[in-house]
Structure formats: C-alpha cells, structure tokens
Amino acid sequence: MNIKHYFTISFVVAITLSAGTALCGSLALAAENGSAESKPVLKAAEEVETSVEGLVTARDENISNDLGLRIDAFKKVIELSVSEAKDLQVRTLLIEKSSKDMALWREEVLGEVENAVRFFELLKKKGVAHIKDVSAVKLEAEEFRKWREENFAPALRAVNDYSSLAKGREIAGIAKERSQKIPKDLIKLGKSGKDAAELQTRLQKANTSITAAEKLLKEGGALFQLTYILPVTTSSSEPIIESPTSSLPVGEAPTSSLATSSIPLSPEKGVKASAPLSIKELVRSSFDEVKDAYRLFIEMSGLVRKSL
C-alpha cells in the first residue's frame, strides 16, 4: 500500500468516525430536550409550570411561615417568567423573514411575546406586598396560570416548533452531505469483493434512514404550515412549498398526500385511527433516523480499519 492510499484510508476513517460520534452525541441531547431551547431556559420554563401548579393545588399546611414560603415561590415564578419571555423575544427576532407569509407569522408571534414581556414585568413591578393570606396566593397563581396558558404558551410552542424543525433540517442536511461523499471515498479506497459489498449495504441502509428523516421533517413542515402559517395569512392564495433541506420549517402544501398522511381525517372503516404525531415528535423521530445513519457510518469506518 502506497503512502497516498494509506493517507486516503486514514482520512476517511477519521472523518467518518469523529463526525459520527460527535453528531450522535448532539442528536441524543437534542432528542432528549425535544427542542432547540437552551438548557437554562428549558429548566426555567419547567420550574415556572411546576411552581405555579404547586401553588394552585397545594393544601393548607399548619406550619410556621407557610404564607411567606408561598409568596417567595410566587415571586420567583414571576422573575423566571420575565427571563423566559425575554429569551423567547430574542429567539423570535432571529427568525428569518424569508417570505411575506413567514414575516406575517413572525410579527404576530413577536407581538404576543412582547405583550407577555410587558405583562410579566408589570407583575414584577407590582410586587407581592398586597398578598396577605394563603388564599390570595392561590388566587393570584391561578390567574397567572390561566393568563400564561392563553397568552404566552401558544407563542412559546410555536417558536419551539420552528427551532426544532430548523435544527432537524440542519442535522439531516449534514448527514446527507456526508453520505454523498462516501461513495467517492470508497472508489479511492479501491475496495472490491466482500468488503465492498458490506460497505455498500451499510451505505444504502444509512441513505434509507436519511431519506426517512427528510420525510419526517417534510411532514413536520407541512404540519407547521397548517398549524401556524395558514391561520395568520389571508393575502396569499398559494401555500409555501420548501425543500426538505431548507432552513425554514415550512413544508409542502396542506392538500398534498404527504401533509395529509400525518393528519388522518377519514380512516378506513374498521381501522382505528392513530393520533397524529406532533411537530416535536416528528422531529425527534427524524433525529433517531439520523442517529441510525451515523451508527452505520461508524460501522463502515470499523470495517475499513480492519482491512488496513
């Protein structure tokens, strides 16, 4: 084996193995979080929801300073909500206005988020000095929860879905780009016979997983359009159609078979309809498909190393 040939083999193995291992780790983290939110923000959102629920449903306890503890908890909820809303405001501002429809949707969401920022800041400014008993804490917490669910939670879900789809497309695009380079590298390696067949089999399986990931993301994009874009766009008669590798989470037209396949409207007689997957679930499933592809890439690198 000449030096050039050895260098080519080593390069393919190193790139495939290191990239596959690193991205598999990223995919595991993304699938676990279920969105593109940062850990601190995700933790803050969970703390808000848990704390508010606890304040509303907590039983009266005959313990010293029970009122003080509940007031402090409610105060923390308000402070976390301000931080959470401001973070969401920044994330919304970063959404690209790639089309008129996307710009309309972005502006509507931004308005909802800015309204939430103002509301939470007013609550923070108002303070908690007016709360005099446990029943008042429960009442304020219940009103806060209701306002949050009606006025802030929808915008939070929308932006999270946008971010998840964008991240899913980015990761699937990287995997597809790598899979397209591998055949050229295999030709350079000059593999033949059993080794070549095993490598090609794994590459085909990896490509199948990547295609499945792209399909899931297209379904997620179609669902995103049905859920968020179409309700706020009345001026455009034509739906937005984007490629699966687009950075925008807008999929095929809602009348297409692809879009309706994930939203069963009239199941066959005698067949129990399954609940349609959410955007979050579709993206997580696409992550799993890409992880499978990279697992196969790593197996390929192992086969190449054994043949050195």
Side-chain angles (χ1 to χ4, degrees):
M1 179 186 298
N2 60 42
I3 295 177
K4 182 178 180 181
H5 193 194
Y6 179 83
F7 175 79
T8 301
I9 293 175
S10 300
F11 178 79
V12 172
V13 171
I15 291 298
T16 303
L17 184 57
S18 61
T21 303
L23 189 55
C24 279
S26 298
L27 286 168
L29 179 62
E32 180 181 353
N33 290 342
S35 73
E37 289 180 277
S38 63
K39 277 191 173 182
V41 174
L42 186 62
K43 184 178 180 181
E46 292 173 349
E47 286 184 7
V48 169
E49 293 174 1
T50 302
S51 298
V52 172
E53 181 66 23
L55 287 169
V56 172
T57 60
R59 296 179 179 179
D60 293 340
E61 302 288 348
N62 294 320
I63 60 176
S64 60
N65 202 31
D66 183 32
L67 176 60
L69 292 173
R70 297 192 189 200
I71 289 176
D72 286 343
F74 186 54
K75 184 178 179 180
K76 183 180 180 181
V77 163
I78 295 172
E79 292 173 349
L80 286 172
S81 296
V82 172
S83 298
E84 181 188 22
K86 286 184 176 180
D87 175 83
L88 189 63
Q89 184 179 26
V90 172
R91 292 171 57 202
T92 306
L93 286 168
L94 291 175
I95 295 175
E96 296 181 6
K97 296 185 285 186
S98 59
S99 67
K100 184 177 180 181
D101 287 348
M102 281 297 296
L104 285 172
W105 170 75
R106 175 185 178 276
E107 290 307 309
E108 175 163 298
V109 173
L110 184 59
E112 294 173 0
V113 175
E114 290 175 342
N115 184 47
V117 171
R118 287 191 294 270
F119 178 78
F120 295 145
E121 285 184 331
L122 283 173
L123 283 181
K124 183 178 179 180
K125 185 177 180 180
K126 179 182 177 181
V128 293
H130 63 285
I131 300 177
K132 302 300 182 183
D133 52 48
V134 172
S135 61
V137 177
K138 287 187 175 183
L139 179 60
E140 294 247 354
E142 176 60 33
E143 291 177 351
F144 175 91
R145 180 173 66 174
K146 183 178 180 181
W147 193 95
R148 176 187 168 88
E149 281 300 312
E150 293 178 355
N151 299 279
F152 180 68
L156 179 62
R157 284 191 294 269
V159 176
N160 283 347
D161 282 344
Y162 175 93
S163 300
S164 294
L165 279 166
K167 177 58 67 176
R169 284 198 169 108
E170 178 187 352
I171 290 174
I174 293 172
K176 186 172 185 178
E177 182 180 350
R178 294 193 183 283
S179 74
Q180 292 172 341
K181 291 180 179 178
I182 290 176
K184 297 178 183 179
D185 293 330
L186 293 180
I187 293 174
K188 292 178 183 178
L189 292 173
K191 291 293 180 184
S192 60
K194 183 180 178 180
D195 288 344
E198 289 183 0
L199 291 170
Q200 287 295 340
T201 297
R202 283 171 171 76
L203 180 59
Q204 289 173 3
K205 289 181 178 179
N207 286 335
T208 298
S209 291
I210 293 170
T211 299
E214 290 180 333
K215 181 180 179 182
L216 287 164
L217 291 168
K218 287 182 86 172
E219 291 180 9
L223 184 56
F224 184 92
Q225 182 171 329
L226 282 169
T227 305
Y228 300 117
I229 303 297
L230 293 184
V232 300
T233 55
T234 56
S235 59
S236 175
S237 59
E238 293 295 329
I240 305 172
I241 303 177
E242 297 286 345
S243 66
T245 56
S246 169
S247 61
L248 297 175
V250 182
E252 293 192 351
T255 55
S256 70
S257 60
L258 178 61
T260 56
S261 65
S262 62
I263 310 174
L265 299 177
S266 53
E268 295 180 9
K269 187 176 181 180
V271 178
K272 184 177 180 180
S274 58
L277 294 177
S278 67
I279 292 173
K280 180 179 178 179
E281 291 168 332
L282 288 166
V283 173
R284 182 183 288 124
S285 295
S286 77
F287 286 157
D288 291 338
E289 294 290 349
V290 176
K291 281 169 62 180
D292 285 342
Y294 270 89
R295 176 181 55 79
L296 290 161
F297 291 163
I298 293 172
E299 288 180 5
M300 292 175 67
S301 72
L303 290 174
V304 172
R305 281 191 297 174
K306 286 181 181 179
S307 67
L308 294 179

